[in-house]
Amino acid sequence: MNYRHAYHAGNFADCFKHALLVALLDSFARKAAPYFVLDTHAGAGRYDLDAEEARRTAEADTGIRRLLQHPSPSLRRYLGLVEQLGLYPGSPALIGAVLRGNDRLACCELHPEDAATLRRHFRRDPRVEVHERSGWEALGALLPPREKRGLVFIDPPFEDRNEFFTLADGLRRAHGRFSHGIFAAWYPIKQMAAVRSFHGSLVSSGIRDVLAVELYLRETTNPDRLNGCGLAVINPPYQFEDQAHLIANAVLDGVGDNEIGAGTAVIRLADE
Ligand SMILES: C[S@@+](CC[C@H](N)C(=O)[O-])C[C@H]1O[C@@H](n2cnc3c(N)ncnc32)[C@H](O)[C@@H]1O
């Protein structure tokens, strides 16, 4: 495990996934019944964008810092949370900020230092559990939750060549245990062949009601670069498809450099 999210916090991919995550979380507020969130690859929770790790890559300069300079109305809620939370909030901090009194969050993080930081962050919050264990394993162990509603957020580091396969398999297993839950899984776009094959495995899994929201910074001619990223969403809430269009376009408008091939897409992989 070499990946440390502190080097990448607040980059364009974080902005994309976190703005969509907040929209998914907000959809639960339409009803009073409590919900459960499982964050399978949670990271450390909050990131100092002036710390050495973040400065070394300066990825936040072309991500969240650009979005905050020219805030788009479609990103108001996400950017408001980022400003409110101080240090750049990773997925567990954003989820923790949106949860209501009876909602619950379980976070899994395998890196001992990041798991300890996350545990400290939530030490006074009885709604949140932090597990230093594999998120892939937790898809079996922690699902289905006792609540009737929930979101499973899967954000793997993609260090491993088989990660697309592991992700498709994890979604299939988890959906089998919690078929009415919402699932959101982030993936990198380096070359289109890998992405198409991932879409194909979702389609052939037979899971219904699947969207892929994608943002492309540029053409995928250099497969060594992170040319874009996507979020696969199973059981998207009412009106999320329209919201996802607005959010992806607002993120691209803010962080993109108008390169050839830049764009966004919301692709319906399987109907309801
Ligand atoms: C992309 S980062 C997560 C960022 C976080 N979701 C956020 O949005 O702020 C991926 C994290 O997964 C952790 N990790 C790697 N393999 C894991 C596994 N099998 N189970 C849980 N965490 C894992 C890494 O240590 C890293 O912190």
Side-chain angles (χ1 to χ4, degrees), residues 1 3 5 18 40-43 90-91 109-110 133-136 155 157:
M1 282 212 328
Y3 183 92
H5 197 65
H18 291 155
T40 58
H41 295 72
S91 50
E109 170 53 50
L110 211 46
R133 71 185 296 180
S134 169
W136 300 122
D155 184 18

Side-chain angles (χ1 to χ4, degrees), residues 37-81:
V37 184
L38 172 59
D39 187 347
T40 58
H41 295 72
R46 298 200 315 156
Y47 302 90
D48 179 354
L49 300 182
D50 293 319
E52 197 203 325
E53 293 93 330
R55 288 314 308 155
R56 201 178 297 171
T57 61
E59 289 183 20
D61 292 1
T62 49
I64 188 63
R65 288 200 160 111
R66 283 194 184 171
L67 295 186
L68 287 168
Q69 268 160 17
H70 303 284
S72 154
S74 306
L75 302 177
R76 188 177 296 132
R77 169 81 168 133
Y78 157 63
L79 295 176
L81 287 169

Side-chain angles (χ1 to χ4, degrees), residues 52-149:
E52 197 203 325
E53 293 93 330
R55 288 314 308 155
R56 201 178 297 171
T57 61
E59 289 183 20
D61 292 1
T62 49
I64 188 63
R65 288 200 160 111
R66 283 194 184 171
L67 295 186
L68 287 168
Q69 268 160 17
H70 303 284
S72 154
S74 306
L75 302 177
R76 188 177 296 132
R77 169 81 168 133
Y78 157 63
L79 295 176
L81 287 169
V82 171
E83 287 189 314
Q84 175 196 317
L85 293 168
L87 294 183
Y88 184 77
S91 50
L94 288 166
I95 299 163
V98 174
L99 288 190
R100 303 160 308 170
N102 292 327
D103 303 324
R104 283 192 309 128
L105 164 64
C107 306
C108 299
E109 170 53 50
L110 211 46
H111 197 289
E113 258 176 54
D114 288 353
T117 306
L118 194 56
R119 201 165 272 142
R120 272 197 302 281
H121 175 69
F122 285 121
R123 69 188 176 284
R124 290 200 190 87
D125 193 335
R127 303 166 305 171
V128 182
E129 285 173 10
V130 175
H131 303 267
E132 188 183 323
R133 71 185 296 180
S134 169
W136 300 122
E137 201 185 278
L139 291 175
L142 302 183
L143 296 178
R146 59 176 181 264
E147 293 83 354
K148 292 199 171 54
R149 311 190 296 152

